[in-house]
Amino acid sequence: MANGQQAELGIVQQTLFFPLLARARETERKRPLLRDERAVELVRKIDFDTGTFNQSAMSFLVVLRTMILDWWVRQFLAVSPGGTVVELGTGLNTRFERVDNGSAHWIDLDLPDTIELRRRFFSDTGRRRMIAGSLLDEDWLTAAEQLPGPYFFVADGVLPYLTDDQVTGLLARIAARFPSALIAFDSYPRKILEMEHKMAAKRGIARWQWSCDDPRTLERFGLRLLESAAPTRPPAGLRATLPARYRLLLPVANPVLGQGAALSLFSALPIARQEIS
Ligand SMILES: C[S@@+](CC[C@H](N)C(=O)[O-])C[C@H]1O[C@@H](n2cnc3c(N)ncnc32)[C@H](O)[C@@H]1O
């Protein structure tokens, strides 16, 4: 789009346009899975190459991924309405707009150039603030500690861009500093990482670095796996709210597509359990 806002983003940061475009395109469908008018507005206002970041037929999987993470955050807020949600690698995500209950506290964390772009469209409020920094820093953990617990950390399409050591170090740091916090994210097996590398080379976009064949192996970093899902295998309560065509088609698609992406909800172990694990 000509005359839109220019976005000066690093190659990894630019990947925020994948989920943004997926949510905008879904909103424009006749009977959308999710409505995100903000995403439609941002796609219209920001100058980027929609051809590069279009996932066409597969974009419903990205939308379902986000909806599953929304579902878990909503469940958390239903039990802990004044708790804190930390959106790790927020990009131009609008989860706060979708799930806010009027009393939650919220941090949107991303790298400085992403936050510079985000600040043009979103504002800090008494309960919600943006932090410019890396997931690999410690400062944001200290900022989160100042907000009321319990805590929910969510990373949507983010961890694959980190190395193995960076992901496990991050999870271990969260688990150690926020005992009993909930942590939810997506992960992909090795074979999908290899497919992403081919797509990344063709489109000139950032390559994933981290894959995980079995999320349960992450339990050794002070976590316990509470729930597992996939875009084609959403939690039963969420599935019941989907349009009929998805309720019918997802179980059919699951044997083929279900192994491609995992969504995991972990709990950080209480301190006593971490010491003996
Ligand atoms: C595919 S985008 C996902 C954006 C957002 N979570 C969403 O669902 O719309 C990946 C995001 O991770 C962010 N990211 C990657 N590495 C990061 C790091 N080390 N620290 C903070 N954010 C990071 C990027 O800037 C980008 O916004």
mmCIF file with all atom_site columns, all heavy atoms in Angstrom, residues 12-13 15-16 19 23 65 87-93 110-111 114 133-136 156-158 161-162, ligand 1:
data_model
loop_
_atom_site.group_PDB
_atom_site.id
_atom_site.type_symbol
_atom_site.label_atom_id
_atom_site.label_alt_id
_atom_site.label_comp_id
_atom_site.label_asym_id
_atom_site.label_entity_id
_atom_site.label_seq_id
_atom_site.pdbx_PDB_ins_code
_atom_site.Cartn_x
_atom_site.Cartn_y
_atom_site.Cartn_z
_atom_site.occupancy
_atom_site.B_iso_or_equiv
_atom_site.pdbx_formal_charge
_atom_site.auth_seq_id
_atom_site.auth_comp_id
_atom_site.auth_asym_id
_atom_site.auth_atom_id
_atom_site.pdbx_PDB_model_num
ATOM   1   N N   . VAL A 1 12  ? 13.489 -10.322 11.949 1.00 0.00 ? 12  VAL A N   1
ATOM   2   C CA  . VAL A 1 12  ? 12.642 -11.146 12.828 1.00 0.00 ? 12  VAL A CA  1
ATOM   3   C C   . VAL A 1 12  ? 11.380 -10.364 13.200 1.00 0.00 ? 12  VAL A C   1
ATOM   4   O O   . VAL A 1 12  ? 10.264 -10.894 13.187 1.00 0.00 ? 12  VAL A O   1
ATOM   5   C CB  . VAL A 1 12  ? 13.422 -11.582 14.088 1.00 0.00 ? 12  VAL A CB  1
ATOM   6   C CG1 . VAL A 1 12  ? 12.494 -12.215 15.110 1.00 0.00 ? 12  VAL A CG1 1
ATOM   7   C CG2 . VAL A 1 12  ? 14.530 -12.564 13.716 1.00 0.00 ? 12  VAL A CG2 1
ATOM   8   N N   . GLN A 1 13  ? 11.560 -9.082  13.503 1.00 0.00 ? 13  GLN A N   1
ATOM   9   C CA  . GLN A 1 13  ? 10.432 -8.243  13.919 1.00 0.00 ? 13  GLN A CA  1
ATOM   10  C C   . GLN A 1 13  ? 9.366  -8.168  12.814 1.00 0.00 ? 13  GLN A C   1
ATOM   11  O O   . GLN A 1 13  ? 8.172  -8.122  13.092 1.00 0.00 ? 13  GLN A O   1
ATOM   12  C CB  . GLN A 1 13  ? 10.929 -6.828  14.265 1.00 0.00 ? 13  GLN A CB  1
ATOM   13  C CG  . GLN A 1 13  ? 11.855 -6.772  15.480 1.00 0.00 ? 13  GLN A CG  1
ATOM   14  C CD  . GLN A 1 13  ? 13.324 -7.046  15.174 1.00 0.00 ? 13  GLN A CD  1
ATOM   15  O OE1 . GLN A 1 13  ? 13.656 -7.952  14.406 1.00 0.00 ? 13  GLN A OE1 1
ATOM   16  N NE2 . GLN A 1 13  ? 14.215 -6.286  15.773 1.00 0.00 ? 13  GLN A NE2 1
ATOM   17  N N   . THR A 1 15  ? 8.205  -10.343 11.057 1.00 0.00 ? 15  THR A N   1
ATOM   18  C CA  . THR A 1 15  ? 7.293  -11.499 11.011 1.00 0.00 ? 15  THR A CA  1
ATOM   19  C C   . THR A 1 15  ? 5.986  -11.210 11.734 1.00 0.00 ? 15  THR A C   1
ATOM   20  O O   . THR A 1 15  ? 5.044  -11.992 11.627 1.00 0.00 ? 15  THR A O   1
ATOM   21  C CB  . THR A 1 15  ? 7.958  -12.751 11.627 1.00 0.00 ? 15  THR A CB  1
ATOM   22  O OG1 . THR A 1 15  ? 8.273  -12.472 13.008 1.00 0.00 ? 15  THR A OG1 1
ATOM   23  C CG2 . THR A 1 15  ? 9.222  -13.131 10.869 1.00 0.00 ? 15  THR A CG2 1
ATOM   24  N N   . LEU A 1 16  ? 5.917  -10.097 12.468 1.00 0.00 ? 16  LEU A N   1
ATOM   25  C CA  . LEU A 1 16  ? 4.650  -9.745  13.116 1.00 0.00 ? 16  LEU A CA  1
ATOM   26  C C   . LEU A 1 16  ? 3.540  -9.540  12.079 1.00 0.00 ? 16  LEU A C   1
ATOM   27  O O   . LEU A 1 16  ? 2.348  -9.604  12.398 1.00 0.00 ? 16  LEU A O   1
ATOM   28  C CB  . LEU A 1 16  ? 4.812  -8.506  14.007 1.00 0.00 ? 16  LEU A CB  1
ATOM   29  C CG  . LEU A 1 16  ? 5.187  -7.160  13.364 1.00 0.00 ? 16  LEU A CG  1
ATOM   30  C CD1 . LEU A 1 16  ? 3.979  -6.426  12.817 1.00 0.00 ? 16  LEU A CD1 1
ATOM   31  C CD2 . LEU A 1 16  ? 5.888  -6.275  14.374 1.00 0.00 ? 16  LEU A CD2 1
ATOM   32  N N   . PRO A 1 19  ? 0.888  -12.909 11.528 1.00 0.00 ? 19  PRO A N   1
ATOM   33  C CA  . PRO A 1 19  ? -0.378 -13.050 12.277 1.00 0.00 ? 19  PRO A CA  1
ATOM   34  C C   . PRO A 1 19  ? -1.300 -11.844 12.135 1.00 0.00 ? 19  PRO A C   1
ATOM   35  O O   . PRO A 1 19  ? -2.525 -11.997 12.140 1.00 0.00 ? 19  PRO A O   1
ATOM   36  C CB  . PRO A 1 19  ? 0.081  -13.235 13.731 1.00 0.00 ? 19  PRO A CB  1
ATOM   37  C CG  . PRO A 1 19  ? 1.498  -12.791 13.782 1.00 0.00 ? 19  PRO A CG  1
ATOM   38  C CD  . PRO A 1 19  ? 2.066  -12.938 12.419 1.00 0.00 ? 19  PRO A CD  1
ATOM   39  N N   . ARG A 1 23  ? -5.168 -12.279 10.911 1.00 0.00 ? 23  ARG A N   1
ATOM   40  C CA  . ARG A 1 23  ? -6.342 -11.845 11.685 1.00 0.00 ? 23  ARG A CA  1
ATOM   41  C C   . ARG A 1 23  ? -7.183 -10.840 10.889 1.00 0.00 ? 23  ARG A C   1
ATOM   42  O O   . ARG A 1 23  ? -8.414 -10.856 10.948 1.00 0.00 ? 23  ARG A O   1
ATOM   43  C CB  . ARG A 1 23  ? -5.920 -11.221 13.032 1.00 0.00 ? 23  ARG A CB  1
ATOM   44  C CG  . ARG A 1 23  ? -5.263 -12.205 13.980 1.00 0.00 ? 23  ARG A CG  1
ATOM   45  C CD  . ARG A 1 23  ? -5.204 -11.665 15.398 1.00 0.00 ? 23  ARG A CD  1
ATOM   46  N NE  . ARG A 1 23  ? -4.634 -10.343 15.487 1.00 0.00 ? 23  ARG A NE  1
ATOM   47  C CZ  . ARG A 1 23  ? -3.317 -10.077 15.536 1.00 0.00 ? 23  ARG A CZ  1
ATOM   48  N NH1 . ARG A 1 23  ? -2.447 -11.065 15.521 1.00 0.00 ? 23  ARG A NH1 1
ATOM   49  N NH2 . ARG A 1 23  ? -2.886 -8.840  15.609 1.00 0.00 ? 23  ARG A NH2 1
ATOM   50  N N   . ARG A 1 65  ? -4.588 -20.768 16.318 1.00 0.00 ? 65  ARG A N   1
ATOM   51  C CA  . ARG A 1 65  ? -3.514 -20.734 17.320 1.00 0.00 ? 65  ARG A CA  1
ATOM   52  C C   . ARG A 1 65  ? -3.754 -19.580 18.300 1.00 0.00 ? 65  ARG A C   1
ATOM   53  O O   . ARG A 1 65  ? -3.717 -19.750 19.519 1.00 0.00 ? 65  ARG A O   1
ATOM   54  C CB  . ARG A 1 65  ? -2.183 -20.545 16.575 1.00 0.00 ? 65  ARG A CB  1
ATOM   55  C CG  . ARG A 1 65  ? -0.980 -20.410 17.446 1.00 0.00 ? 65  ARG A CG  1
ATOM   56  C CD  . ARG A 1 65  ? 0.263  -20.202 16.596 1.00 0.00 ? 65  ARG A CD  1
ATOM   57  N NE  . ARG A 1 65  ? 0.529  -18.792 16.377 1.00 0.00 ? 65  ARG A NE  1
ATOM   58  C CZ  . ARG A 1 65  ? 1.402  -18.321 15.482 1.00 0.00 ? 65  ARG A CZ  1
ATOM   59  N NH1 . ARG A 1 65  ? 2.076  -19.151 14.699 1.00 0.00 ? 65  ARG A NH1 1
ATOM   60  N NH2 . ARG A 1 65  ? 1.603  -17.028 15.358 1.00 0.00 ? 65  ARG A NH2 1
ATOM   61  N N   . GLU A 1 87  ? 2.533  -10.419 27.626 1.00 0.00 ? 87  GLU A N   1
ATOM   62  C CA  . GLU A 1 87  ? 2.528  -10.851 26.222 1.00 0.00 ? 87  GLU A CA  1
ATOM   63  C C   . GLU A 1 87  ? 3.970  -10.745 25.724 1.00 0.00 ? 87  GLU A C   1
ATOM   64  O O   . GLU A 1 87  ? 4.500  -9.637  25.542 1.00 0.00 ? 87  GLU A O   1
ATOM   65  C CB  . GLU A 1 87  ? 1.568  -9.947  25.434 1.00 0.00 ? 87  GLU A CB  1
ATOM   66  C CG  . GLU A 1 87  ? 1.403  -10.303 23.987 1.00 0.00 ? 87  GLU A CG  1
ATOM   67  C CD  . GLU A 1 87  ? 0.388  -11.418 23.726 1.00 0.00 ? 87  GLU A CD  1
ATOM   68  O OE1 . GLU A 1 87  ? -0.719 -11.379 24.271 1.00 0.00 ? 87  GLU A OE1 1
ATOM   69  O OE2 . GLU A 1 87  ? 0.727  -12.332 22.950 1.00 0.00 ? 87  GLU A OE2 1
ATOM   70  N N   . LEU A 1 88  ? 4.607  -11.890 25.527 1.00 0.00 ? 88  LEU A N   1
ATOM   71  C CA  . LEU A 1 88  ? 6.023  -11.945 25.144 1.00 0.00 ? 88  LEU A CA  1
ATOM   72  C C   . LEU A 1 88  ? 6.131  -11.865 23.626 1.00 0.00 ? 88  LEU A C   1
ATOM   73  O O   . LEU A 1 88  ? 5.541  -12.694 22.926 1.00 0.00 ? 88  LEU A O   1
ATOM   74  C CB  . LEU A 1 88  ? 6.639  -13.261 25.641 1.00 0.00 ? 88  LEU A CB  1
ATOM   75  C CG  . LEU A 1 88  ? 6.480  -13.565 27.140 1.00 0.00 ? 88  LEU A CG  1
ATOM   76  C CD1 . LEU A 1 88  ? 6.876  -15.008 27.435 1.00 0.00 ? 88  LEU A CD1 1
ATOM   77  C CD2 . LEU A 1 88  ? 7.318  -12.598 27.963 1.00 0.00 ? 88  LEU A CD2 1
ATOM   78  N N   . GLY A 1 89  ? 6.848  -10.891 23.113 1.00 0.00 ? 89  GLY A N   1
ATOM   79  C CA  . GLY A 1 89  ? 6.948  -10.749 21.649 1.00 0.00 ? 89  GLY A CA  1
ATOM   80  C C   . GLY A 1 89  ? 5.594  -10.368 21.074 1.00 0.00 ? 89  GLY A C   1
ATOM   81  O O   . GLY A 1 89  ? 5.074  -11.014 20.171 1.00 0.00 ? 89  GLY A O   1
ATOM   82  N N   . THR A 1 90  ? 5.042  -9.279  21.580 1.00 0.00 ? 90  THR A N   1
ATOM   83  C CA  . THR A 1 90  ? 3.640  -8.926  21.281 1.00 0.00 ? 90  THR A CA  1
ATOM   84  C C   . THR A 1 90  ? 3.389  -8.530  19.832 1.00 0.00 ? 90  THR A C   1
ATOM   85  O O   . THR A 1 90  ? 2.269  -8.677  19.333 1.00 0.00 ? 90  THR A O   1
ATOM   86  C CB  . THR A 1 90  ? 3.180  -7.793  22.234 1.00 0.00 ? 90  THR A CB  1
ATOM   87  O OG1 . THR A 1 90  ? 1.810  -7.531  22.018 1.00 0.00 ? 90  THR A OG1 1
ATOM   88  C CG2 . THR A 1 90  ? 3.977  -6.502  22.022 1.00 0.00 ? 90  THR A CG2 1
ATOM   89  N N   . GLY A 1 91  ? 4.406  -8.007  19.130 1.00 0.00 ? 91  GLY A N   1
ATOM   90  C CA  . GLY A 1 91  ? 4.178  -7.537  17.757 1.00 0.00 ? 91  GLY A CA  1
ATOM   91  C C   . GLY A 1 91  ? 3.067  -6.503  17.745 1.00 0.00 ? 91  GLY A C   1
ATOM   92  O O   . GLY A 1 91  ? 3.071  -5.541  18.526 1.00 0.00 ? 91  GLY A O   1
ATOM   93  N N   . LEU A 1 92  ? 2.082  -6.701  16.857 1.00 0.00 ? 92  LEU A N   1
ATOM   94  C CA  . LEU A 1 92  ? 0.896  -5.829  16.842 1.00 0.00 ? 92  LEU A CA  1
ATOM   95  C C   . LEU A 1 92  ? -0.320 -6.649  17.267 1.00 0.00 ? 92  LEU A C   1
ATOM   96  O O   . LEU A 1 92  ? -1.432 -6.450  16.765 1.00 0.00 ? 92  LEU A O   1
ATOM   97  C CB  . LEU A 1 92  ? 0.713  -5.204  15.456 1.00 0.00 ? 92  LEU A CB  1
ATOM   98  C CG  . LEU A 1 92  ? 1.811  -4.196  15.074 1.00 0.00 ? 92  LEU A CG  1
ATOM   99  C CD1 . LEU A 1 92  ? 1.686  -3.784  13.603 1.00 0.00 ? 92  LEU A CD1 1
ATOM   100 C CD2 . LEU A 1 92  ? 1.775  -2.946  15.963 1.00 0.00 ? 92  LEU A CD2 1
ATOM   101 N N   . ASN A 1 93  ? -0.068 -7.581  18.188 1.00 0.00 ? 93  ASN A N   1
ATOM   102 C CA  . ASN A 1 93  ? -1.164 -8.414  18.667 1.00 0.00 ? 93  ASN A CA  1
ATOM   103 C C   . ASN A 1 93  ? -2.190 -7.564  19.419 1.00 0.00 ? 93  ASN A C   1
ATOM   104 O O   . ASN A 1 93  ? -1.850 -6.552  20.031 1.00 0.00 ? 93  ASN A O   1
ATOM   105 C CB  . ASN A 1 93  ? -0.616 -9.519  19.588 1.00 0.00 ? 93  ASN A CB  1
ATOM   106 C CG  . ASN A 1 93  ? -1.569 -10.701 19.682 1.00 0.00 ? 93  ASN A CG  1
ATOM   107 O OD1 . ASN A 1 93  ? -2.780 -10.521 19.781 1.00 0.00 ? 93  ASN A OD1 1
ATOM   108 N ND2 . ASN A 1 93  ? -1.037 -11.892 19.633 1.00 0.00 ? 93  ASN A ND2 1
ATOM   109 N N   . ASP A 1 110 ? 8.233  -6.297  23.569 1.00 0.00 ? 110 ASP A N   1
ATOM   110 C CA  . ASP A 1 110 ? 8.841  -6.651  22.277 1.00 0.00 ? 110 ASP A CA  1
ATOM   111 C C   . ASP A 1 110 ? 10.110 -5.836  22.102 1.00 0.00 ? 110 ASP A C   1
ATOM   112 O O   . ASP A 1 110 ? 10.429 -4.958  22.923 1.00 0.00 ? 110 ASP A O   1
ATOM   113 C CB  . ASP A 1 110 ? 7.857  -6.420  21.115 1.00 0.00 ? 110 ASP A CB  1
ATOM   114 C CG  . ASP A 1 110 ? 8.106  -7.381  19.936 1.00 0.00 ? 110 ASP A CG  1
ATOM   115 O OD1 . ASP A 1 110 ? 9.244  -7.373  19.397 1.00 0.00 ? 110 ASP A OD1 1
ATOM   116 O OD2 . ASP A 1 110 ? 7.187  -8.129  19.559 1.00 0.00 ? 110 ASP A OD2 1
ATOM   117 N N   . LEU A 1 111 ? 10.833 -6.125  21.039 1.00 0.00 ? 111 LEU A N   1
ATOM   118 C CA  . LEU A 1 111 ? 12.091 -5.431  20.756 1.00 0.00 ? 111 LEU A CA  1
ATOM   119 C C   . LEU A 1 111 ? 11.807 -3.946  20.475 1.00 0.00 ? 111 LEU A C   1
ATOM   120 O O   . LEU A 1 111 ? 10.694 -3.592  20.046 1.00 0.00 ? 111 LEU A O   1
ATOM   121 C CB  . LEU A 1 111 ? 12.783 -6.110  19.569 1.00 0.00 ? 111 LEU A CB  1
ATOM   122 C CG  . LEU A 1 111 ? 13.250 -7.544  19.897 1.00 0.00 ? 111 LEU A CG  1
ATOM   123 C CD1 . LEU A 1 111 ? 13.581 -8.323  18.626 1.00 0.00 ? 111 LEU A CD1 1
ATOM   124 C CD2 . LEU A 1 111 ? 14.451 -7.520  20.837 1.00 0.00 ? 111 LEU A CD2 1
ATOM   125 N N   . THR A 1 114 ? 9.961  -2.749  17.230 1.00 0.00 ? 114 THR A N   1
ATOM   126 C CA  . THR A 1 114 ? 8.559  -3.182  17.194 1.00 0.00 ? 114 THR A CA  1
ATOM   127 C C   . THR A 1 114 ? 7.723  -2.296  18.116 1.00 0.00 ? 114 THR A C   1
ATOM   128 O O   . THR A 1 114 ? 6.618  -1.857  17.751 1.00 0.00 ? 114 THR A O   1
ATOM   129 C CB  . THR A 1 114 ? 8.423  -4.647  17.651 1.00 0.00 ? 114 THR A CB  1
ATOM   130 O OG1 . THR A 1 114 ? 9.236  -5.459  16.827 1.00 0.00 ? 114 THR A OG1 1
ATOM   131 C CG2 . THR A 1 114 ? 6.984  -5.118  17.561 1.00 0.00 ? 114 THR A CG2 1
ATOM   132 N N   . GLY A 1 133 ? 12.246 -4.127  24.861 1.00 0.00 ? 133 GLY A N   1
ATOM   133 C CA  . GLY A 1 133 ? 13.408 -4.885  25.327 1.00 0.00 ? 133 GLY A CA  1
ATOM   134 C C   . GLY A 1 133 ? 13.360 -6.278  24.752 1.00 0.00 ? 133 GLY A C   1
ATOM   135 O O   . GLY A 1 133 ? 12.406 -6.634  24.049 1.00 0.00 ? 133 GLY A O   1
ATOM   136 N N   . SER A 1 134 ? 14.396 -7.039  25.068 1.00 0.00 ? 134 SER A N   1
ATOM   137 C CA  . SER A 1 134 ? 14.445 -8.414  24.561 1.00 0.00 ? 134 SER A CA  1
ATOM   138 C C   . SER A 1 134 ? 13.944 -9.368  25.623 1.00 0.00 ? 134 SER A C   1
ATOM   139 O O   . SER A 1 134 ? 14.144 -9.160  26.824 1.00 0.00 ? 134 SER A O   1
ATOM   140 C CB  . SER A 1 134 ? 15.887 -8.778  24.193 1.00 0.00 ? 134 SER A CB  1
ATOM   141 O OG  . SER A 1 134 ? 15.952 -10.161 23.909 1.00 0.00 ? 134 SER A OG  1
ATOM   142 N N   . LEU A 1 135 ? 13.344 -10.439 25.156 1.00 0.00 ? 135 LEU A N   1
ATOM   143 C CA  . LEU A 1 135 ? 12.955 -11.539 26.048 1.00 0.00 ? 135 LEU A CA  1
ATOM   144 C C   . LEU A 1 135 ? 14.164 -12.070 26.804 1.00 0.00 ? 135 LEU A C   1
ATOM   145 O O   . LEU A 1 135 ? 14.024 -12.703 27.840 1.00 0.00 ? 135 LEU A O   1
ATOM   146 C CB  . LEU A 1 135 ? 12.412 -12.701 25.204 1.00 0.00 ? 135 LEU A CB  1
ATOM   147 C CG  . LEU A 1 135 ? 11.078 -12.504 24.524 1.00 0.00 ? 135 LEU A CG  1
ATOM   148 C CD1 . LEU A 1 135 ? 10.862 -13.580 23.485 1.00 0.00 ? 135 LEU A CD1 1
ATOM   149 C CD2 . LEU A 1 135 ? 10.008 -12.575 25.580 1.00 0.00 ? 135 LEU A CD2 1
ATOM   150 N N   . LEU A 1 136 ? 15.341 -11.820 26.245 1.00 0.00 ? 136 LEU A N   1
ATOM   151 C CA  . LEU A 1 136 ? 16.560 -12.365 26.847 1.00 0.00 ? 136 LEU A CA  1
ATOM   152 C C   . LEU A 1 136 ? 17.077 -11.464 27.970 1.00 0.00 ? 136 LEU A C   1
ATOM   153 O O   . LEU A 1 136 ? 17.974 -11.843 28.707 1.00 0.00 ? 136 LEU A O   1
ATOM   154 C CB  . LEU A 1 136 ? 17.638 -12.552 25.772 1.00 0.00 ? 136 LEU A CB  1
ATOM   155 C CG  . LEU A 1 136 ? 17.139 -13.296 24.521 1.00 0.00 ? 136 LEU A CG  1
ATOM   156 C CD1 . LEU A 1 136 ? 18.234 -13.384 23.480 1.00 0.00 ? 136 LEU A CD1 1
ATOM   157 C CD2 . LEU A 1 136 ? 16.619 -14.676 24.880 1.00 0.00 ? 136 LEU A CD2 1
ATOM   158 N N   . ASP A 1 156 ? 3.069  -15.969 21.385 1.00 0.00 ? 156 ASP A N   1
ATOM   159 C CA  . ASP A 1 156 ? 2.269  -16.409 20.238 1.00 0.00 ? 156 ASP A CA  1
ATOM   160 C C   . ASP A 1 156 ? 3.117  -16.234 18.976 1.00 0.00 ? 156 ASP A C   1
ATOM   161 O O   . ASP A 1 156 ? 3.304  -15.109 18.495 1.00 0.00 ? 156 ASP A O   1
ATOM   162 C CB  . ASP A 1 156 ? 1.003  -15.519 20.205 1.00 0.00 ? 156 ASP A CB  1
ATOM   163 C CG  . ASP A 1 156 ? -0.058 -15.982 19.227 1.00 0.00 ? 156 ASP A CG  1
ATOM   164 O OD1 . ASP A 1 156 ? 0.246  -16.845 18.399 1.00 0.00 ? 156 ASP A OD1 1
ATOM   165 O OD2 . ASP A 1 156 ? -1.185 -15.452 19.306 1.00 0.00 ? 156 ASP A OD2 1
ATOM   166 N N   . GLY A 1 157 ? 3.671  -17.336 18.478 1.00 0.00 ? 157 GLY A N   1
ATOM   167 C CA  . GLY A 1 157 ? 4.488  -17.257 17.261 1.00 0.00 ? 157 GLY A CA  1
ATOM   168 C C   . GLY A 1 157 ? 5.855  -16.642 17.486 1.00 0.00 ? 157 GLY A C   1
ATOM   169 O O   . GLY A 1 157 ? 6.416  -16.053 16.552 1.00 0.00 ? 157 GLY A O   1
ATOM   170 N N   . VAL A 1 158 ? 6.397  -16.756 18.684 1.00 0.00 ? 158 VAL A N   1
ATOM   171 C CA  . VAL A 1 158 ? 7.614  -16.026 19.046 1.00 0.00 ? 158 VAL A CA  1
ATOM   172 C C   . VAL A 1 158 ? 8.817  -16.938 19.309 1.00 0.00 ? 158 VAL A C   1
ATOM   173 O O   . VAL A 1 158 ? 9.918  -16.714 18.777 1.00 0.00 ? 158 VAL A O   1
ATOM   174 C CB  . VAL A 1 158 ? 7.357  -15.169 20.321 1.00 0.00 ? 158 VAL A CB  1
ATOM   175 C CG1 . VAL A 1 158 ? 8.612  -14.438 20.754 1.00 0.00 ? 158 VAL A CG1 1
ATOM   176 C CG2 . VAL A 1 158 ? 6.210  -14.201 20.081 1.00 0.00 ? 158 VAL A CG2 1
ATOM   177 N N   . TYR A 1 161 ? 11.794 -18.216 16.988 1.00 0.00 ? 161 TYR A N   1
ATOM   178 C CA  . TYR A 1 161 ? 12.843 -17.308 16.493 1.00 0.00 ? 161 TYR A CA  1
ATOM   179 C C   . TYR A 1 161 ? 14.049 -17.252 17.429 1.00 0.00 ? 161 TYR A C   1
ATOM   180 O O   . TYR A 1 161 ? 15.051 -16.619 17.109 1.00 0.00 ? 161 TYR A O   1
ATOM   181 C CB  . TYR A 1 161 ? 12.271 -15.895 16.280 1.00 0.00 ? 161 TYR A CB  1
ATOM   182 C CG  . TYR A 1 161 ? 11.255 -15.898 15.166 1.00 0.00 ? 161 TYR A CG  1
ATOM   183 C CD1 . TYR A 1 161 ? 9.888  -15.912 15.424 1.00 0.00 ? 161 TYR A CD1 1
ATOM   184 C CD2 . TYR A 1 161 ? 11.667 -15.968 13.832 1.00 0.00 ? 161 TYR A CD2 1
ATOM   185 C CE1 . TYR A 1 161 ? 8.959  -15.977 14.408 1.00 0.00 ? 161 TYR A CE1 1
ATOM   186 C CE2 . TYR A 1 161 ? 10.743 -16.039 12.803 1.00 0.00 ? 161 TYR A CE2 1
ATOM   187 C CZ  . TYR A 1 161 ? 9.391  -16.040 13.097 1.00 0.00 ? 161 TYR A CZ  1
ATOM   188 O OH  . TYR A 1 161 ? 8.472  -16.116 12.080 1.00 0.00 ? 161 TYR A OH  1
ATOM   189 N N   . LEU A 1 162 ? 13.955 -17.900 18.598 1.00 0.00 ? 162 LEU A N   1
ATOM   190 C CA  . LEU A 1 162 ? 15.077 -17.943 19.536 1.00 0.00 ? 162 LEU A CA  1
ATOM   191 C C   . LEU A 1 162 ? 15.836 -19.257 19.350 1.00 0.00 ? 162 LEU A C   1
ATOM   192 O O   . LEU A 1 162 ? 15.324 -20.205 18.751 1.00 0.00 ? 162 LEU A O   1
ATOM   193 C CB  . LEU A 1 162 ? 14.567 -17.857 20.980 1.00 0.00 ? 162 LEU A CB  1
ATOM   194 C CG  . LEU A 1 162 ? 13.641 -16.667 21.323 1.00 0.00 ? 162 LEU A CG  1
ATOM   195 C CD1 . LEU A 1 162 ? 13.290 -16.711 22.803 1.00 0.00 ? 162 LEU A CD1 1
ATOM   196 C CD2 . LEU A 1 162 ? 14.275 -15.342 20.954 1.00 0.00 ? 162 LEU A CD2 1
HETATM 197 C C1  . LIG B 2 .   ? 5.584  -13.862 14.376 1.00 0.00 ? 1   LIG B C1  1
HETATM 198 S S1  . LIG B 2 .   ? 5.718  -12.388 15.305 1.00 0.00 ? 1   LIG B S1  1
HETATM 199 C C2  . LIG B 2 .   ? 4.377  -12.647 16.466 1.00 0.00 ? 1   LIG B C2  1
HETATM 200 C C3  . LIG B 2 .   ? 3.823  -11.366 16.986 1.00 0.00 ? 1   LIG B C3  1
HETATM 201 C C4  . LIG B 2 .   ? 2.665  -11.500 17.973 1.00 0.00 ? 1   LIG B C4  1
HETATM 202 N N1  . LIG B 2 .   ? 2.984  -12.396 19.053 1.00 0.00 ? 1   LIG B N1  1
HETATM 203 C C5  . LIG B 2 .   ? 1.402  -11.928 17.303 1.00 0.00 ? 1   LIG B C5  1
HETATM 204 O O1  . LIG B 2 .   ? 0.915  -13.035 17.533 1.00 0.00 ? 1   LIG B O1  1
HETATM 205 O O2  . LIG B 2 .   ? 0.858  -11.121 16.537 1.00 0.00 ? 1   LIG B O2  1
HETATM 206 C C6  . LIG B 2 .   ? 7.180  -12.628 16.320 1.00 0.00 ? 1   LIG B C6  1
HETATM 207 C C7  . LIG B 2 .   ? 7.400  -11.503 17.308 1.00 0.00 ? 1   LIG B C7  1
HETATM 208 O O3  . LIG B 2 .   ? 8.436  -11.884 18.230 1.00 0.00 ? 1   LIG B O3  1
HETATM 209 C C8  . LIG B 2 .   ? 9.208  -10.737 18.500 1.00 0.00 ? 1   LIG B C8  1
HETATM 210 N N2  . LIG B 2 .   ? 10.525 -11.161 19.011 1.00 0.00 ? 1   LIG B N2  1
HETATM 211 C C9  . LIG B 2 .   ? 11.415 -11.981 18.412 1.00 0.00 ? 1   LIG B C9  1
HETATM 212 N N3  . LIG B 2 .   ? 12.526 -12.114 19.162 1.00 0.00 ? 1   LIG B N3  1
HETATM 213 C C10 . LIG B 2 .   ? 12.319 -11.361 20.278 1.00 0.00 ? 1   LIG B C10 1
HETATM 214 C C11 . LIG B 2 .   ? 13.105 -11.080 21.435 1.00 0.00 ? 1   LIG B C11 1
HETATM 215 N N4  . LIG B 2 .   ? 14.325 -11.595 21.613 1.00 0.00 ? 1   LIG B N4  1
HETATM 216 N N5  . LIG B 2 .   ? 12.588 -10.268 22.372 1.00 0.00 ? 1   LIG B N5  1
HETATM 217 C C12 . LIG B 2 .   ? 11.349 -9.722  22.222 1.00 0.00 ? 1   LIG B C12 1
HETATM 218 N N6  . LIG B 2 .   ? 10.555 -9.958  21.149 1.00 0.00 ? 1   LIG B N6  1
HETATM 219 C C13 . LIG B 2 .   ? 11.039 -10.761 20.180 1.00 0.00 ? 1   LIG B C13 1
HETATM 220 C C14 . LIG B 2 .   ? 9.291  -10.046 17.145 1.00 0.00 ? 1   LIG B C14 1
HETATM 221 O O4  . LIG B 2 .   ? 9.713  -8.703  17.250 1.00 0.00 ? 1   LIG B O4  1
HETATM 222 C C15 . LIG B 2 .   ? 7.864  -10.209 16.653 1.00 0.00 ? 1   LIG B C15 1
HETATM 223 O O5  . LIG B 2 .   ? 7.036  -9.147  17.080 1.00 0.00 ? 1   LIG B O5  1
#
